[in-house]
Amino acid sequence: MQDITIVGGGIAGCSTAYLLSERGYDVTVVEKDAIGGLLREIELASGYHTDSAPHLLFFDEDEEAIVGELFSEFTDLDPHSFFAKTYPTNDLTDPHDYPVSKANIDRWDDSDQIREELAEAPGKADVDYFDEFVRRQVGPTLFDRYYDSYTAKHWGIEPSRITGDWFDFKINFPDGEDSFFDGGAYYPAKKYTDVLNEMLADCEVIIDGVTGLETDGAHVEALTTESGDRIGGDLFVSTIDPSILVDTDESLNYRSMVIHSAHIEASERLFPDHVNWAYFPNHHDFTRITDYDFTPQDIPDGEYLLTTEFPCFLGDDVWPNQRSWFDDALTSFIENQGIDVSLVASEIRRAPRAYPLPVTEEIERFERINSQLSAFENVANLGRVSTYEYIWIKDIVQQAYETVEELTAPVHP
């Protein structure tokens, strides 16, 4: 039986490690910080926790049932219908449907013009870039008010440069208020971190940063680490940025995120009672605020657990700011809405590789770098960071199953 070494202890690394250990393989997981990756909760000094932005489990129960089956081995999955709003006018008393709906049109004084634009809009089509995909469905005015500045803020690039195969899944234009994922989403009864650690019960875990590879030309023989150690194996699985592993002068650009987690007392809830999170396309450095009342925590009346997401690049002014700056950004916003607020506890988490950039030149750079890694016969990679794909938990779990099948397939002479 071969020894398998996995780089990265997020959902990609942990689910792959568990599936391999279940098949009897000796598995070592090397993680730089702590098990959990972006699924790791933000723990507050008040005893509560939030996600690093809402981490929901959604999957097609016919075609993607293995996702639910895997998590159900470790925790109960509670079904939820998740709803969101968007606030293009920056006024919490003026919530608009998100996904952006045709019902939003009546909220604008120029609704007749918007309807004329919709009548002329050609509709959904298979196109290369985000702005064209959305404009064809909603027309120029709705695009400008709901999508343009939000998309540029979230990604740090113009929507006319954004490409990918995720548009059709992420963007729809319903007649009225609609839930996310067709109402078919779940949230675990246990913390994600506990689930992922349980997945690694039969694996060796090493906390160390991987810095590169030792190879014989065709095969990887070992990983090198920040502590100076050498970690060997017969097969290797990477879930991290491939530019860290190979010898290259190029580096991959990811959209980073600072997530501000807060426990607050407030005179009222920010959003309508059934709404779980909200988008802010204009006016602010942040893009989304989430209320975690859907998590299995006993939160007192008048108290709320929130995360506020600040997208940025590593060199941006937002990235190095102290927690007090983010505290003030949240409380000032809430107070300006006429809501009394006091901060009970807060933390910030910096995620330097939250989103691969869906632009042609970055994807081509990834392919050049990754071609060096894929040239080694005993290496596989999966996950959002390692494959440079904008994918979700369900996709990563399916990749884990596929990777395990490939690694353990019998070799026929």
Side-chain angles (χ1 to χ4, degrees):
M1 190 69 72
Q2 294 174 307
D3 293 337
I4 301 180
T5 301
I6 297 174
V7 186
I11 180 60
C14 292
S15 55
T16 305
Y18 171 70
L19 296 172
L20 287 166
S21 66
E22 283 290 283
R23 297 192 182 202
Y25 287 84
D26 290 328
V27 181
T28 299
V29 175
V30 187
E31 163 58 43
K32 181 177 182 178
D33 297 314
I35 297 302
L38 282 176
L39 284 187
R40 182 161 50 97
E41 291 80 14
I42 301 176
E43 302 287 349
L44 293 161
S46 58
Y48 295 94
H49 64 270
T50 68
D51 295 340
S52 300
H55 290 135
L56 318 177
L57 285 172
F58 56 94
F59 50 89
D60 185 294
E61 293 189 1
D62 294 325
E63 298 182 3
E64 301 165 336
I66 54 174
V67 178
E69 291 168 3
L70 175 65
F71 276 91
S72 293
E73 293 185 41
F74 302 94
T75 182
D76 292 333
L77 297 178
D78 298 325
H80 286 271
S81 292
F82 290 94
F83 288 87
K85 292 293 183 182
T86 183
Y87 292 86
T89 64
N90 193 42
D91 184 348
L92 289 182
T93 66
D94 185 27
H96 294 215
D97 293 342
Y98 197 97
V100 175
S101 76
K102 295 180 178 67
N104 285 1
I105 296 168
D106 292 325
R107 293 188 168 275
W108 300 102
D109 292 337
D110 54 355
S111 57
D112 290 341
Q113 175 191 323
I114 295 172
R115 287 193 171 86
E116 289 176 6
E117 294 174 357
L118 282 175
E120 297 174 358
K124 185 181 290 190
D126 184 13
V127 296
D128 291 332
Y129 295 101
F130 180 87
D131 64 336
E132 184 180 1
F133 180 85
V134 180
R135 283 178 191 272
R136 289 177 64 92
Q137 296 177 71
V138 306
T141 299
L142 292 185
F143 177 81
D144 289 346
R145 290 177 184 169
Y146 294 103
Y147 295 98
D148 190 20
S149 60
Y150 181 89
T151 304
K153 178 167 58 170
H154 178 89
W155 292 105
I157 49 181
E158 291 302 313
S160 59
R161 297 176 57 206
I162 294 175
T163 187
D165 58 4
W166 49 271
F167 304 158
D168 198 33
F169 179 79
K170 286 283 286 184
I171 303 298
N172 60 73
F173 189 40
D175 290 331
E177 184 180 47
D178 198 6
S179 65
F180 275 69
F181 322 117
D182 297 323
Y186 300 86
Y187 197 81
K190 288 183 181 178
K191 290 182 180 180
Y192 279 107
T193 301
D194 293 340
V195 170
L196 297 187
N197 275 294
E198 286 182 32
M199 287 183 178
L200 301 182
D202 295 324
C203 305
E204 180 182 2
V205 177
I206 298 173
I207 302 300
D208 202 349
V210 173
T211 56
L213 307 174
E214 286 186 9
T215 77
D216 65 3
H219 298 83
V220 173
E221 297 181 328
L223 307 172
T224 58
T225 72
E226 292 176 355
S227 65
D229 286 343
R230 179 183 182 277
I231 303 172
D234 299 306
L235 298 173
F236 295 84
V237 177
S238 173
T239 69
I240 70 170
D241 179 348
S243 68
I244 295 172
L245 299 176
V246 301
D247 184 13
T248 178
D249 293 330
E250 294 190 285
S251 60
L252 290 171
N253 202 9
Y254 295 79
R255 189 62 165 164
S256 300
M257 192 76 69
V258 181
I259 305 102
H260 178 261
S261 174
H263 176 187
I264 65 168
E265 294 179 351
S267 56
E268 61 185 90
R269 195 173 190 269
L270 272 62
F271 315 131
D273 287 342
H274 70 292
V275 172
N276 305 108
W277 63 84
Y279 299 96
F280 296 86
N282 308 308
H283 309 294
H284 303 289
D285 290 323
F286 56 81
T287 49
R288 177 169 57 176
I289 298 178
T290 301
D291 186 317
Y292 288 86
D293 64 353
F294 56 85
T295 61
Q297 301 179 86
D298 186 14
I299 306 167
D301 291 343
E303 298 183 25
Y304 307 92
L305 303 177
L306 309 176
T307 55
T308 308
E309 299 166 52
F310 295 81
C312 54
F313 292 114
L314 298 187
D316 290 352
D317 291 341
V318 167
W319 181 257
N321 284 334
Q322 298 300 306
R323 185 174 68 186
S324 58
W325 185 92
F326 296 97
D327 289 346
D328 185 61
L330 176 65
T331 56
S332 295
F333 164 72
I334 295 173
E335 288 168 350
N336 288 338
Q337 299 291 327
I339 299 173
D340 295 331
V341 61
S342 60
L343 191 65
V344 178
S346 70
E347 295 289 343
I348 58 172
R349 172 166 296 162
R350 293 183 173 89
R353 293 179 178 85
Y355 296 93
L357 284 183
V359 294
T360 300
E361 57 268 34
E362 293 293 340
I363 295 169
E364 290 174 347
R365 182 178 293 114
F366 163 77
E367 290 172 349
R368 288 195 299 271
I369 294 171
N370 194 57
S371 65
Q372 297 185 56
L373 189 62
S374 59
F376 300 114
E377 297 176 5
N378 61 335
V379 175
N381 64 335
L382 74 152
R384 178 185 285 191
V385 174
S386 185
T387 64
Y388 211 73
E389 296 177 289
Y390 183 27
I391 54 178
W392 292 268
I393 296 173
K394 69 181 184 69
D395 306 305
I396 295 169
V397 168
Q398 290 180 101
Q399 283 184 352
Y401 276 93
E402 292 166 2
T403 299
V404 168
E405 289 299 322
E406 292 170 3
L407 291 175
T408 61
V411 177
H412 299 290

